[in-house]
Amino acid sequence: MRVMCSAASWRQDPARFLVLSTALLLVARFNVRAEEETLYDSTAQSYLEWSTYTSNPYDGLGWIEVSTFDEEGSTEKHSYQTCDVFVDDPRNWVRTTYIARNGAPEIHMELQFSMIECNTIPSYATCKETFDMYYIESDGDVATDLSPTWSQPPYKRIDRIAGEDRLSDSGETVINYEKLHITGLSREGVYLAFEDEGSCTSILTLRVFYIYCPTVIWNFATFPRTPSLSDPLVVTVVGECVQNAEPMYDVPKHHCQKNGMWVALDHGGCSCSIGYQPEGDACEACPIGTYKAKAGDSSCNDCPANSYSYAEAGEMCACMQGFYRAETDSPDDSCAGPPSIPRNLTAEVDHTTVILKWEPPVDNGGRDHITYRVSCDHCDRSVEFDKTQVNKLNMTITHLAPMTLYRFRVYISNSISHLSGEQIFAEIRVHSGQEGKILPFLIRRHRLDINTRKVIAFNH
């Protein structure tokens, strides 16, 4: 930013430098980014009211506060200026008001100033083209005009600042812009100070701020607002899972860079817990009638057949009355009931042998795997047939005795039949006639309560 002006008058009256510096103040600006928090901004103050000290109060003015209005006359600007170039060995100090650091481990400063080139001032034996910037830490606003002592120490020097662009015979000047920072802060706040030893300088604007990585949510983990550091260049931050989420394979981590930008690490993350589904950056409860059995980023599912969830955040759906899940079933499996009876049970006779045949049930209860078991009343040890569970639709029974009434039952079951408290079977009675002939007698179909051993339903 360049402002044209005449340099000839500074040879006559260096004090008129204050007028130019005030004009330059009107055009100084800062670009504040979203990842910065301003702790102090001189342009936002009604009055600066900084503290000053000069070693030669009778010969020089030291630092003085100057104010002016913009061209519209609506905005007042303030600056601190000094030009004791004709004073022997001047030492002029100016100190800001107390600046709380709000927990920032380091702070940054943006300084705008202007300076006159010494060779434009006659008899400039004491003229300097530098000034020093200092700081001192404090846990509160306790500084006075006499304390701390105006010296180094107790003040710590930040840098010696030189005017790279100065008012010269060309009649053109440039506002100088400096960026500085302080690290390793441990107390609640700081004072900043400037020491001049004979320059013609105007401090136009001063902004103090810290850079931070803003709060973000990534993979359902919240990473809090984190002040950045210059050393080390990155800060490793452990995220916290949002409500109703849980860590995946490892805790989530991000890097906060010194420029206030997050770098996502391929390291862990969070996912919605059982019973919760993603909704934006949050995890919301599964609605009634739905469920979610595993943690992850999937949505809630409608309840499987013959089940229902009666509350939000369902981890699984309860089976409705008369339906069950086996121990090996998952929450994603539907609930099943016992199968209906075997159909069309018949007996084919061949002398002392009978072959029972039947057809699958009308309703398998919701499970595809069906097994059958045959039982026989009045069968002695000589009668032979398979008494184990089978999945075939026939059974051969041999070595039957003549002139004997037999009752055969074909039991049917699926994987949840043992949970229902019922045994389902079809029944057929046959009578062996003379000469070993076996006659079909009666077919019945029953539902037997296994607890009471009572038949609770049957049909012919």
Side-chain angles (χ1 to χ4, degrees):
M1 181 191 320
R2 294 181 180 270
V3 179
M4 299 298 297
C5 62
S6 171
S9 59
W10 310 137
R11 298 189 185 95
Q12 314 260 326
D13 184 5
R16 293 183 62 187
F17 165 71
L18 302 182
V19 178
L20 171 66
S21 298
T22 299
L24 295 176
L25 175 65
L26 300 178
V27 293
R29 295 290 185 271
F30 290 117
N31 293 320
V32 181
R33 298 174 306 198
E35 66 272 13
E36 298 174 358
E37 178 175 324
T38 298
L39 302 174
Y40 179 84
D41 186 351
S42 65
T43 65
Q45 312 302 313
S46 299
Y47 295 96
L48 299 182
E49 296 182 334
W50 294 356
S51 300
T52 61
Y53 166 82
T54 179
S55 61
N56 297 296
Y58 300 107
D59 296 329
L61 296 175
W63 292 94
I64 60 173
E65 182 173 352
V66 177
S67 63
T68 188
F69 288 89
D70 59 15
E71 295 179 357
E72 290 77 19
S74 59
T75 303
E76 188 176 14
K77 302 291 184 180
H78 298 267
S79 65
Y80 266 90
Q81 303 162 3
T82 184
C83 198
D84 285 346
V85 293
F86 298 124
V87 178
D88 292 335
D89 299 322
R91 289 182 57 250
N92 300 320
W93 284 75
V94 61
R95 183 184 63 220
T96 67
T97 54
Y98 180 71
I99 302 172
R101 64 184 179 89
N102 292 351
E106 69 179 43
I107 59 174
H108 299 259
M109 293 147 288
E110 291 177 342
L111 176 67
Q112 294 185 14
F113 69 96
S114 59
M115 183 178 289
I116 290 180
E117 194 171 275
C118 285
N119 62 16
T120 65
I121 302 173
S123 303
Y124 57 87
T126 63
C127 181
K128 301 286 183 63
E129 293 180 347
T130 61
F131 62 95
D132 293 327
M133 186 173 184
Y134 297 88
Y135 78 98
I136 187 169
E137 291 191 76
S138 175
D139 286 324
D141 187 7
V142 296
T144 66
D145 290 341
L146 301 178
S147 176
T149 305
W150 300 94
S151 63
Q152 177 192 8
Y155 288 90
K156 298 178 181 179
R157 190 165 75 174
I158 301 171
D159 199 4
R160 173 157 288 175
I161 300 172
E164 300 293 336
D165 298 283
R166 302 173 299 279
L167 180 65
S168 65
D169 285 335
S170 67
E172 184 178 358
T173 192
V174 175
I175 294 177
N176 293 272
Y177 179 82
E178 288 284 333
K179 297 187 72 172
L180 310 101
H181 72 278
I182 310 171
T183 62
L185 297 175
S186 60
R187 307 186 75 172
E188 295 299 317
V190 297
Y191 295 96
L192 300 178
F194 302 91
E195 183 188 21
D196 162 63
E197 294 182 330
S199 68
C200 230
T201 300
S202 176
I203 297 175
L204 302 174
T205 62
L206 172 65
R207 186 171 78 93
V208 182
F209 61 96
Y210 71 91
I211 300 173
Y212 65 90
C213 295
T215 300
V216 295
I217 299 178
W218 178 83
N219 258 14
F220 303 103
T222 299
F223 294 87
R225 171 172 164 159
T226 303
S228 65
L229 291 175
S230 299
D231 185 19
L233 296 179
V234 296
V235 179
T236 301
V237 180
V238 176
E240 181 178 350
C241 294
V242 301
Q243 188 175 11
N244 303 316
E246 58 192 62
M248 294 189 291
Y249 54 89
D250 203 350
V251 293
K253 293 181 180 179
H254 266 17
H255 277 165
C256 175
Q257 299 183 112
K258 70 173 185 177
N259 63 356
M261 302 297 289
W262 288 106
V263 174
L265 299 180
D266 186 17
H267 188 94
C270 301
S271 60
C272 293
S273 300
I274 293 174
Y276 294 86
Q277 65 181 351
E279 184 62 40
D281 290 329
C283 295
E284 292 190 349
C286 293
I288 292 174
T290 66
Y291 78 106
K292 183 181 171 187
K294 296 178 180 178
D297 298 336
S298 61
S299 300
C300 302
N301 298 314
D302 292 335
C303 286
N306 306 315
S307 67
Y308 197 74
S309 63
Y310 297 91
E312 293 183 342
E315 299 180 8
M316 63 181 299
C317 299
C319 291
M320 297 178 179
Q321 186 174 4
F323 296 91
Y324 311 89
R325 285 194 182 93
E327 294 83 353
T328 57
D329 288 342
S330 74
D332 298 327
D333 291 326
S334 61
C335 294
S340 59
I341 58 175
R343 293 182 299 129
N344 302 324
L345 175 59
T346 60
E348 296 180 2
V349 179
D350 184 8
H351 301 291
T352 60
T353 299
V354 63
I355 300 175
L356 301 179
K357 293 183 178 180
W358 60 88
E359 295 178 5
V362 173
D363 180 10
N364 63 9
R367 292 292 184 267
D368 293 333
H369 185 64
I370 299 294
T371 59
Y372 304 92
R373 179 177 61 85
V374 175
S375 70
C376 173
D377 288 352
H378 309 300
C379 287
D380 56 24
R381 293 183 178 180
S382 63
V383 178
E384 295 181 359
F385 65 97
D386 189 349
K387 300 178 178 64
T388 62
Q389 296 278 0
V390 297
N391 54 16
K392 59 185 181 179
L393 299 176
N394 59 79
M395 179 67 67
T396 300
I397 304 164
T398 61
H399 302 121
L400 295 174
M403 303 298 295
T404 304
L405 177 65
Y406 292 94
R407 183 176 66 179
F408 298 101
R409 287 180 175 177
V410 178
Y411 292 89
I412 185 171
S413 62
N414 59 18
S415 60
I416 62 84
S417 291
H418 64 288
L419 301 173
S420 68
E422 297 177 355
Q423 289 186 340
I424 312 299
F425 61 89
E427 180 180 294
I428 188 170
R429 297 184 184 187
V430 297
H431 191 278
S432 59
Q434 294 180 352
E435 298 178 357
K437 292 183 179 179
I438 301 176
L439 305 176
F441 181 74
L442 183 64
I443 299 175
R444 288 181 177 169
R445 299 172 175 84
H446 299 272
R447 298 174 70 91
L448 177 66
D449 189 316
I450 61 175
N451 296 314
T452 63
R453 308 304 299 174
K454 292 182 178 179
V455 174
I456 58 176
F458 67 92
N459 64 340
H460 294 282

